[in-house]
Amino acid sequence: MSETTGKKEMEKAYNPAAAEAKWYAFWLEKGYFTPKIDKTKRPWVCIMPPPNVTGALHQGHALFVGLEDAMTRYHRMLGEPTLWVPGSDHAGISGETVVERNIIQNEGKTKNDLGREEFLKRVWAWMDEYRNTITNQMEKLGASADWTRLAFTMDPQRQRAVRVAFKRLFDAGLIYRASRIVNWDPKSLTVISDLEVEMEQEQGSLWYLRYPVKDAPDQFVTVATTRPETMLGDTGVAVNPNDARYNNLVGKTLVLPLVGREIPVVADEGVDASFGTGAVKMTPGHDPLDFEIGQRHNLPTINIFNPNATVNENGGVYAGLDRFVARKKVLADLEAGGYLVKTEPYLHNVPYSERSGVPVEPLVREQWWVKVGPLAQPALEAAYDGRVKFVPERFKKVYTDWMENIHDWAVSRQLFWGHRIPVWFCDNCGHVQAVEEEKLTACEKCGSTDKIWQDPDVLDTWFSSGMWPFSTLGWPDKTADLDYFYPGSVMETGYEIIFLWVARMIMFGMHFMDGQVPFHTVYLHGIIRDEKGAKMSKSKGNVINPLDNVKEFGSDALRYTLLTSSTPGVDTKLSVTRIGDSRNFANKLWNATRFISLSGLEDLPYQAPALQPDAPLADRWIVSRYYELVANVTKNMELYQFGEAGRALYEFLWGEFCDWYIEVSKLRLNSPDPATKLAVQQTLVGVLEGSLRLLHPFMPFVTEELWQNLPHEGESIMIAPWPTVTGQPDLEAVARFEALQEVVKGIRNAKSEAHVESKRVAAIVAARPELKDLFESEADTIIRLAGVDAAKLEIVADTDLAEAPRQALSFVTGGATVYLPLSGMLDLAVEQTRLSKEIEEARKEIEKGEKTLSNSNFVDRAPAAVVAKEREKLAANREKLARLEGRLADLAV
Ligand SMILES: [Zn+2]
């Protein structure tokens, strides 16, 4: 394709859809996404956070694709063997929920109606369909991931890896089975992790209940609770040993109302004496703290709930009632029996399941647990000593704080969909074993073949994603990939899953890969919000669909917007207007390239931009600025400051290259002298070609399309080398060109403020003596770019100017004082009237602002931001007044 360079005229307008399809297919066909293992070079590796196969992609996915693809393309251009491994996640509980919801809607059946086997068939069908959708969508976003290595957390290779990992942990005693209090989701009917519980503050009540002391009919202990129905499972009352109020009660026995059970009063340091009455009812079966205290005092644990949170047979007459119905009934009966002392309104936190949205029911279940301590210690040290770094750095503390207090990890889930726990029980001899194979044929101890059965639960979905950095490379086999590409380089993901995922990858990576950290850098991005900062949600109707954006503005426009709106670790506000602006940027580059190519580039040899000491000022300026750009963009890419890098490219390409250099170069481009024309073409092409390479990681498609239309070396921009410069920028040329820019901009501004539209005004440039030659030699630039009459431009040294011209607009720049004589430009009387009116308005505004700000009531009470804004407004108005007065003075005879 590079052969067609410059031979065909470019279309008038850029068509993103056509270019995107064409170039993506070309890159794929060339195999650019698949790195070659080269042991003489260090690879750069990024393992993609596998999107959940629960639906289509959203802006969060578009952001991570943009970020990771930008890093990947940058490193590929640096010449490193670059691997970006794509994949998707089976999404455990979310996957199961979304598929079941679908079946309920369409067939009116639940997963239990279908049974495990049939339900799993349906889940697989869903997964196969949506995995393809997700892959196609990532391609549309330009992802240069190595699709030949595409992985799925539930594919056979990864299933085997999970079984092997589980067995190794099991055999090492790092996985154990224990009854503990867990977060039970009574709707999804499974355990969920602490990280999947959302606390919501609610206005509830605090009920004071009195429990009679055994054999002392007049004595009671009053306890306070937000969940009176749980008293059915009470097995004690606890007080703080330092609480003098209850000294004489410890050791006594109480009789539980409604139930009649005899329960002890125990003393425990864990009791908060300031809560309620200081005496706390103990329900070890349904409260984590009570469970802990209960363990210390051997209080029995009684579970009073069925899995769906109705009361079970342990609740006596309340059995079968929903927990909230039971609450009302228990309260009514307590009141009738004289056991309800009082009720107070109470604001408290209620735990909700993030998945199903119902209140979590803490209860005691037998679960498989990972003993985290031995895994966490090395993973902590890797953060302390910097083997794993965080971007932004503040997340290091977030990570270490959590890891220092980490609890064991309950890994079993009561679901159908997921990695089946590879533990088999033998009813013949009681042996329990973990196995690497999918099925166990005989008990390893007694050889029984018919009394063995597999644990019905599946693993927490984060178990398999925690293995992602090495399971995707072929572990547990000793593959060439694993040998070369592990450890990886950067893990890029959302800050909200730093514990759920990042911490577990570091623990598992170090444990299973001989202590080697899975990546040296963790880059954390924020959440994409709407332009007002609200979370996007279907119910709010503020969702911006990335694929709609791609269709309307092009993939590059969306990527560029996401990358330049985002700062590491900070949430991003996304507006469609900005995506439109980015589309305009792509169009601007298209027009610039087309303009340059129309000058005839057929025979132009490719040449990197180089500073020529004898070149015209504009050339030395743009090449110097290009040198600075290369250094600036490279530095920011290394620092993961993609927003900074992207903005610098925009400012250079649009603000300097297009708006100034192309304009200035037009005269020479039309020169009859071939050498003059060639020189300027070479600079135009060299600077643009290099800048397009710098922009490629942000806007891969349009840069490839444009690059192919310019003289270049190589087959594709995506495998072209990252630009470097050897020379130093000519800072004097930069300063001189900027002095010229200031004069041109000043004249434009002055004309615009005075509403003068003529392109042929008179101007006197009173230059600093050492810059007189600059303005003389660049007179053409002033004439053309500022709209000055060539015959009426005077350039003098300011020391030679005896007297300031009268009736002229004037302004001062670093290099000159410029006067624009007004005769013929505007009607003096009309302008004076207009200015006087504006001056009066400005004065009124200032008066108003001063009054507001002298009002202490406003200054003290209004939000600081509002006051600051008012101050800014006042300052701006004062400045405006000074400018208007200066202009009126200029008009005076
Ligand atoms: Zn056996």
Side-chain angles (χ1 to χ4, degrees):
M1 274 191 211
S2 57
E3 304 312 314
T4 61
T5 300
K7 289 191 180 126
K8 201 176 70 194
E9 193 174 308
M10 288 169 67
E11 300 282 333
K12 279 216 167 85
Y14 178 46
N15 177 351
E20 287 167 16
K22 175 177 74 179
W23 293 116
Y24 201 86
F26 172 73
W27 296 330
L28 261 184
E29 180 204 309
K30 290 282 178 180
Y32 294 153
F33 302 163
T34 304
K36 290 185 183 59
I37 291 179
D38 175 352
K39 299 237 171 160
T40 65
K41 289 177 178 171
R42 230 182 116 182
W44 187 86
V45 182
C46 174
I47 311 284
M48 179 189 289
N52 282 348
V53 188
T54 46
L57 294 193
H58 54 67
Q59 293 291 357
H61 296 114
L63 176 65
F64 93 60
V65 168
L67 284 163
E68 290 169 31
D69 193 53
M71 292 186 222
T72 300
R73 288 179 185 269
Y74 167 64
H75 284 275
R76 196 183 283 119
M77 291 173 82
L78 288 177
E80 299 164 12
T82 298
L83 174 62
W84 184 22
V85 183
S88 50
D89 195 295
H90 67 282
I93 185 168
S94 325
E96 179 148 327
T97 307
V98 77
V99 177
E100 189 186 19
R101 196 185 302 145
N102 192 268
I103 296 171
I104 291 173
Q105 264 171 15
N106 295 330
E107 302 170 40
K109 285 183 183 162
T110 66
K111 62 183 180 189
N112 290 314
D113 295 339
L114 296 176
R116 182 189 283 258
E117 204 177 321
E118 178 58 26
F119 179 71
L120 287 180
K121 260 191 214 158
R122 307 294 185 89
V123 183
W124 273 108
W126 167 283
M127 293 287 150
D128 288 340
E129 183 188 339
Y130 279 94
R131 265 156 67 208
N132 280 333
T133 310
I134 286 177
T135 308
N136 292 337
Q137 292 177 344
M138 287 200 281
E139 290 181 347
K140 287 219 157 30
L141 292 167
S144 64
D146 183 1
W147 302 108
T148 66
R149 288 178 166 88
L150 182 64
F152 178 45
T153 51
M154 279 289 282
D155 61 24
Q157 169 80 32
R158 261 46 67 173
Q159 291 207 30
R160 184 163 70 91
V162 163
R163 289 194 303 267
V164 170
F166 189 99
K167 180 173 166 53
R168 290 192 192 172
L169 291 171
F170 182 91
D171 291 348
L174 292 172
I175 284 186
Y176 62 93
R177 192 157 168 83
S179 287
R180 295 262 183 91
I181 202 138
V182 292
N183 302 302
W184 183 257
D185 179 336
K187 192 171 178 205
S188 304
L189 300 181
T190 182
V191 166
I192 57 174
S193 82
D194 290 348
L195 299 166
E196 292 160 320
V197 174
E198 268 180 2
M199 287 301 194
E200 280 181 33
Q201 202 173 56
E202 282 182 5
Q203 183 61 55
S205 299
L206 194 59
W207 286 279
Y208 289 78
L209 317 177
R210 55 182 198 173
Y211 292 178
V213 178
K214 191 188 169 192
D215 301 330
D218 304 336
Q219 279 191 47
F220 295 92
V221 175
T222 303
V223 295
T225 180
T226 59
R227 299 199 51 198
E229 70 281 10
T230 61
M231 60 89 58
L232 299 171
D234 280 5
T235 55
V237 164
V239 298
N240 193 294
N242 304 316
D243 191 340
R245 290 174 292 178
Y246 296 111
N247 277 347
N248 56 346
L249 256 158
V250 176
K252 292 212 166 137
T253 302
L254 310 174
V255 180
L256 190 61
L258 310 184
V259 180
R261 184 161 48 240
E262 295 190 357
I263 59 175
V265 179
V266 299
D268 193 282
E269 300 266 359
V271 172
D272 176 6
S274 68
F275 174 77
T277 59
V280 184
K281 67 193 260 319
M282 290 286 112
T283 322
H286 299 288
D287 182 279
L289 182 65
D290 295 3
F291 181 77
E292 244 178 66
I293 295 176
Q295 295 283 79
R296 288 199 281 270
H297 300 274
N298 292 320
L299 301 180
T301 297
I302 298 177
N303 179 13
I304 59 157
F305 290 119
N306 291 311
N308 64 358
T310 55
V311 176
N312 67 15
E313 68 283 1
N314 292 331
V317 298
Y318 305 93
L321 298 179
D322 175 78
R323 53 184 162 167
F324 299 113
V325 178
R327 175 176 300 177
K328 284 192 187 136
K329 183 112 195 345
V330 164
L331 277 170
D333 292 350
L334 285 168
E335 191 167 18
Y339 300 112
L340 181 62
V341 180
K342 60 173 175 173
T343 308
E344 284 176 353
Y346 191 65
L347 198 63
H348 64 142
N349 285 324
V350 179
Y352 275 83
S353 163
E354 200 184 73
R355 302 289 175 192
S356 68
V358 303
V360 166
E361 189 57 60
L363 47 81
V364 174
R365 303 265 310 196
E366 205 171 42
Q367 299 287 329
W368 290 105
W369 298 79
V370 172
K371 194 173 175 186
V372 177
L375 302 174
Q377 199 48 42
L380 250 177
E381 273 153 27
Y384 290 144
D385 65 24
R387 272 174 293 156
V388 176
K389 291 187 184 64
F390 292 83
V391 180
E393 219 191 324
R394 65 188 147 88
F395 281 99
K396 174 179 169 177
K397 191 170 159 17
V398 174
Y399 169 86
T400 53
D401 281 356
W402 188 73
M403 290 289 277
E404 283 160 7
N405 298 297
I406 195 165
H407 300 292
D408 282 358
W409 174 18
V411 288
S412 35
R413 295 291 181 272
Q414 291 65 42
L415 303 170
F416 288 160
W417 176 236
H419 294 272
R420 186 89 177 258
I421 290 180
V423 170
W424 291 72
F425 299 87
C426 175
D427 283 345
N428 190 43
C429 72
H431 185 56
V432 180
Q433 67 179 110
V435 298
E436 286 182 8
E437 297 73 33
E438 211 180 335
K439 293 242 174 298
L440 180 70
T441 45
C443 170
E444 66 179 351
K445 210 164 170 193
C446 72
S448 166
T449 54
D450 58 346
K451 292 278 166 45
I452 49 171
W453 53 279
Q454 186 173 9
D455 191 297
D457 288 353
V458 300
L459 283 168
D460 180 6
T461 190
W462 297 101
F463 192 97
S464 50
S465 24
M467 299 171 56
W468 205 231
F470 50 94
S471 70
T472 49
L473 299 175
W475 189 94
D477 299 326
K478 290 185 170 30
T479 60
D481 269 9
L482 194 63
D483 179 50
Y484 186 65
F485 292 114
Y486 190 95
S489 311
V490 176
M491 172 45 63
E492 190 288 327
T493 191
Y495 66 71
E496 75 279 12
I497 52 176
I498 184 169
F499 307 136
L500 280 170
W501 194 38
V502 177
R504 283 155 184 176
M505 282 189 286
I506 300 175
M507 288 192 281
F508 275 2
M510 296 182 76
H511 183 76
F512 290 109
M513 293 298 296
D514 298 327
Q516 285 192 79
V517 294
F519 29 74
H520 58 64
T521 298
V522 178
Y523 176 103
L524 296 162
H525 64 246
I527 296 164
I528 305 272
R529 298 170 178 275
D530 73 4
E531 59 186 316
K532 294 189 191 89
K535 254 193 177 176
M536 289 189 196
S537 78
K538 268 188 201 154
S539 55
K540 276 188 221 147
N542 62 348
V543 173
I544 309 172
N545 181 331
L547 295 156
D548 292 347
N549 300 148
V550 169
K551 219 174 194 177
E552 187 175 357
F553 302 108
S555 173
D556 288 329
L558 176 63
R559 290 170 56 122
Y560 181 81
T561 307
L562 288 169
L563 285 167
T564 51
S565 320
S566 75
T567 309
V570 179
D571 291 356
T572 300
K573 290 183 196 166
L574 180 65
S575 83
V576 175
T577 317
R578 288 203 53 183
I579 309 174
D581 293 344
S582 304
R583 185 257 328 263
N584 297 345
F585 181 37
N587 287 342
K588 183 83 184 174
L589 296 173
W590 178 271
N591 294 337
T593 308
R594 184 167 181 272
F595 170 79
I596 296 167
S597 73
L598 285 175
S599 73
L601 305 174
E602 292 82 358
D603 303 319
L604 193 79
Y606 168 79
Q607 197 179 309
L611 205 51
Q612 311 284 351
D614 52 350
L617 174 68
D619 291 18
R620 284 180 286 134
W621 165 71
I622 198 71
V623 173
S624 297
R625 292 291 296 140
Y626 170 75
Y627 283 5
E628 290 174 338
L629 178 79
V630 172
N632 182 13
V633 172
T634 307
K635 181 191 82 192
N636 280 305
M637 294 302 279
E638 289 295 326
L639 294 174
Y640 306 94
Q641 296 295 335
F642 307 107
E644 294 286 330
R647 283 189 291 274
L649 281 159
Y650 181 98
E651 279 155 24
F652 175 80
L653 276 161
W654 192 318
E656 299 190 276
F657 184 75
C658 292
D659 283 355
W660 288 89
Y661 186 67
I662 289 186
E663 290 306 319
V664 172
S665 70
K666 278 178 179 168
L667 259 192
R668 280 191 291 144
L669 213 48
N670 293 326
S671 166
D673 170 31
T676 303
K677 180 175 169 179
L678 184 71
V680 77
Q681 275 182 319
Q682 227 138 26
T683 308
L684 280 164
V685 168
V687 170
L688 178 57
E689 189 273 344
S691 308
L692 289 174
R693 274 190 273 154
L694 296 172
L695 184 63
H696 178 71
F698 297 81
M699 303 181 108
F701 296 109
V702 72
T703 50
E704 179 77 282
E705 177 76 27
L706 298 179
W707 189 81
Q708 298 284 356
N709 277 288
L710 292 170
H712 59 256
E713 275 172 352
E715 187 173 71
S716 162
I717 192 171
M718 80 167 274
I719 52 163
W722 185 254
T724 52
V725 280
T726 43
Q728 289 299 314
D730 178 345
L731 296 181
E732 203 207 328
V734 170
R736 283 168 75 87
F737 195 83
E738 282 172 358
L740 177 68
Q741 281 179 305
E742 262 193 88
V743 166
V744 171
K745 280 191 227 167
I747 297 175
R748 285 180 186 161
N749 286 346
K751 281 166 70 180
S752 134
E753 280 186 23
H755 304 277
V756 173
E757 275 160 25
S758 164
K759 292 204 168 107
R760 303 174 66 89
V761 302
I764 299 155
V765 177
R768 288 204 337 245
E770 71 275 19
L771 290 176
K772 184 168 168 253
D773 69 316
L774 163 72
F775 294 113
E776 278 169 351
S777 59
E778 297 296 335
D780 265 340
T781 304
I782 299 174
I783 290 162
R784 285 190 315 110
L785 269 55
V788 173
D789 190 332
K792 293 182 193 157
L793 173 64
E794 259 181 74
I795 293 162
V796 294
D798 56 8
T799 44
D800 293 343
L801 195 70
E803 190 182 353
R806 289 191 180 168
Q807 290 196 342
L809 298 177
S810 70
F811 59 89
V812 181
T813 71
T817 304
V818 179
Y819 301 91
L820 303 177
L822 297 164
S823 51
M825 266 174 58
L826 39 76
D827 184 323
L828 271 187
V830 171
E831 182 66 3
Q832 275 166 335
T833 315
R834 198 181 62 79
L835 280 174
S836 307
K837 223 168 119 191
E838 273 192 53
I839 286 171
E840 196 172 325
E841 275 165 23
R843 282 197 180 123
K844 269 190 202 148
E845 281 298 311
I846 291 170
E847 213 175 293
K848 222 169 90 190
E850 282 170 343
K851 207 171 146 195
T852 308
L853 285 165
S854 65
N855 178 353
S856 60
N857 208 8
F858 167 77
V859 177
D860 297 343
R861 293 202 186 160
V866 174
V867 177
K869 200 151 202 184
E870 197 60 40
R871 290 216 166 96
E872 268 171 39
K873 212 168 97 189
L874 179 61
N877 278 321
R878 280 181 178 145
E879 201 209 314
K880 184 177 170 191
L881 178 65
R883 224 165 354 120
L884 292 167
E885 282 173 341
R887 282 240 304 281
L888 192 61
D890 285 341
L891 299 187
V893 184

